[in-house]
Amino acid sequence: MNVPKHVAIIMDGNGRWATNRGLKRSMGHLEGSKTLEKLAIHAIDMGVKILSVYAFSTDNFKRSKEEVDYLMDLFIKMFNTKFEKINKKGIKVVISGRKENLRADVIEAINTIEEKTKNNSAGILNICLNYGGQEEIIDGAIKLAEDIKNGLDIKNFTKEDFYHYLYQDLPPIDLLIRTGGELRLSNFMLYELSYSEFYFTNTLFPDFDKSEFNKALFMYEHTDRRFGGLNVKENN
Ligand code: IPE
Ligand code: IPE
Ligand code: MG
């Protein structure tokens, strides 16, 4: 089976999932967090090496204080206690995004989970929190500018070299999944998605279970990735 090495998920639709049931939006986020735990383990079982997930965008601070506070408290609970199964599975957890604007107790929980799982080697779960794709490129460009100022020679600088300046030095994304029915990127991993395959589904994230994930893997298996070239048959 041709399994994507790096899968990314825009975990959208938590709020609608809850509203559809007459519940508060926060209950959708809680349910979504359970779905994420299960999916991270399942993805590794299926042979995926890296799972990047969009948990909170820089623009999500525009939401009500109540919703933002709930989400921040939920991240703390996830990192401090709920990710025990993910740790036992041997998954290394890393967090991508700007630390400015985050509460001190959220940063502390981020440091705890990263430290606790840093030697794990079964796979990587990259959680994008206070993350923006354009911000990541800007932050990378600033780091690169500093290196140039300090004498870095950029005569032969490549697209691949720029990955070292992103939040995590991970390979490009092979498969992007967006749940919740919208057909947009909402500022997610713009640099890393350049040749990714896209899988969009109306399923709301809390309902995106293992079998839904497998449908995306199945689509990926049957796509012909050309990277601007031609496939083997057409090349003859
Ligand atoms: C995605 O679900 C999770 C976050 C943005 C934190 P939403 O909260 O955007 O859910 P909908 O799109 O309103 O249903
Ligand atoms: C994208 O979803 C962000 C996350 C899933 C964390 P949004 O719900 O914030 O995106 P828009 O507003 O539909 O573009
Ligand atoms: Mg949404």
Side-chain angles (χ1 to χ4, degrees):
M1 198 179 158
N2 175 25
V3 181
K5 183 174 180 186
H6 188 174
V7 176
I9 309 180
I10 300 175
M11 307 186 289
D12 198 22
N14 291 348
R16 279 165 283 166
W17 182 92
T19 308
N20 290 346
R21 285 165 177 72
L23 301 169
K24 290 182 91 172
R25 291 178 57 83
S26 51
M27 290 303 104
H29 296 313
L30 179 63
E31 203 58 30
S33 72
K34 293 178 193 163
T35 299
L36 170 60
E37 273 176 73
K38 287 182 209 146
L39 274 186
I41 290 166
H42 176 65
I44 301 299
D45 283 340
M46 295 305 286
V48 172
K49 295 288 174 223
I50 304 151
L51 183 67
S52 288
V53 296
Y54 208 2
F56 192 90
S57 77
T58 49
D59 294 317
N60 288 148
F61 274 113
K62 294 174 189 165
R63 298 187 181 192
S64 71
K65 182 174 183 320
E66 186 191 356
E67 182 165 352
V68 171
D69 283 348
Y70 183 88
L71 280 163
M72 293 302 149
D73 291 343
L74 183 58
F75 293 136
I76 293 175
K77 272 191 214 122
M78 284 160 76
F79 300 157
N80 284 345
T81 53
K82 291 197 181 171
F83 271 13
E84 209 33 62
K85 266 194 207 143
I86 286 182
N87 184 25
K88 284 221 179 82
K89 187 78 187 175
I91 300 173
K92 177 176 169 176
V93 179
V94 295
I95 315 293
S96 294
R98 286 187 173 166
K99 297 287 183 298
E100 308 97 79
N101 306 330
L102 288 180
R103 279 165 23 194
D105 53 352
V106 176
I107 294 175
E108 204 182 301
I110 288 174
N111 293 339
T112 303
I113 191 71
E114 286 189 331
E115 182 61 30
K116 197 196 256 182
T117 63
K118 71 176 182 203
N119 294 321
N120 288 351
S121 58
I124 296 173
L125 174 61
N126 173 31
I127 300 184
C128 297
L129 200 172
N130 194 21
Y131 174 88
Q134 290 177 320
E135 286 85 342
E136 181 177 30
I137 293 170
I138 292 170
D139 292 348
I142 292 170
K143 274 190 262 168
L144 176 58
E146 278 163 11
D147 281 357
I148 296 170
K149 210 166 67 187
N150 293 326
L152 177 76
D153 178 8
I154 48 156
K155 205 164 59 200
N156 299 314
F157 194 85
T158 64
K159 306 186 273 199
E160 289 73 28
D161 292 333
F162 194 70
Y163 275 91
H164 306 315
Y165 289 90
L166 299 175
Y167 293 137
Q168 312 293 335
D169 195 357
L170 298 172
I173 293 162
D174 301 299
L175 170 65
L176 170 78
I177 297 166
R178 180 167 185 148
T179 62
E182 313 294 354
L183 308 181
R184 57 182 175 240
L185 288 179
S186 303
N187 202 17
F188 189 49
M189 302 191 93
L190 303 177
Y191 197 84
E192 300 89 331
L193 285 169
S194 58
Y195 272 101
S196 173
E197 301 299 326
F198 283 14
Y199 180 86
F200 292 102
T201 171
N202 289 328
T203 302
L204 303 172
F205 186 68
D207 293 328
F208 192 74
D209 59 12
K210 293 179 194 178
S211 74
E212 295 275 337
F213 186 82
N214 291 349
K215 283 186 208 166
L217 292 185
F218 185 78
M219 180 226 65
Y220 180 85
E221 202 183 356
H222 293 88
T223 44
D224 171 25
R225 299 186 77 192
R226 289 187 289 274
F227 298 96
L230 297 174
N231 66 25
V232 180
K233 262 184 265 150
E234 285 165 329
N235 244 342
N236 289 327

